[in-house]
Every structure is written in structure tokens, then in C-alpha cells.
Amino acid sequence: MALTNTVVKRLRLQETRVTGEGGVRGNEMLFAEARSETILFVVSIGSPQILQLSGIGPTSLLQKHNIPSAT
């Protein structure tokens, strides 16, 4: 299932592997589970935010916003 025209809110991870993504399309919350790979296309402005909301980023920043680290 492809989540097109969707605002991605976070990636689902298992250890260091992305296993899916969750997002919003209109008023609907969606989640797609990856069978083999996850392809994420976002503009450079959105990439750091999605990674940080998924627990990937500077530890001090994640802790400041009470986001558990993915590593």
C-alpha cells in the first residue's frame, strides 16, 4: 500500500530498520507497514522533523521534547 498525498508524522522502526510509516491524509490517520522497503519522499525542510519525531537525531533535542531515542 502506498501512502500518497499523505503528511508523514513518524516512521516505525525495529532496531535500525524502518518497518513502516504513519501519517495523515485529510482527517484520516493512516499507517503502512513495509514488506521489503520504505521509500520516503519529503522536501529537505520536512526530513529532519520526521526523523526526530521517529526518535532519530541529537539525544539532547529528543530528550528536551520527551521523544524516546530509536537507538
Side-chain angles (χ1 to χ4, degrees):
M1 170 185 174
L3 291 184
T4 58
N5 300 315
T6 303
V7 177
V8 175
K9 295 295 185 179
R10 71 182 308 253
L11 303 174
R12 181 172 279 182
L13 302 159
Q14 271 187 347
E15 297 179 19
T16 59
R17 177 179 151 83
V18 175
T19 60
E21 57 188 75
V24 178
R25 184 186 308 147
N27 293 328
E28 184 180 13
M29 293 291 295
L30 302 170
F31 179 76
E33 185 175 333
R35 290 188 187 140
S36 60
E37 62 185 10
T38 298
I39 300 172
L40 181 64
F41 176 80
V42 295
V43 295
S44 60
I45 295 170
S47 300
Q49 180 183 22
I50 292 168
L51 293 171
Q52 291 164 3
L53 290 172
S54 301
I56 301 168
T59 303
S60 60
L61 180 64
L62 298 177
Q63 288 174 343
K64 178 181 173 182
H65 295 284
N66 297 317
I67 299 171
S69 177
T71 56

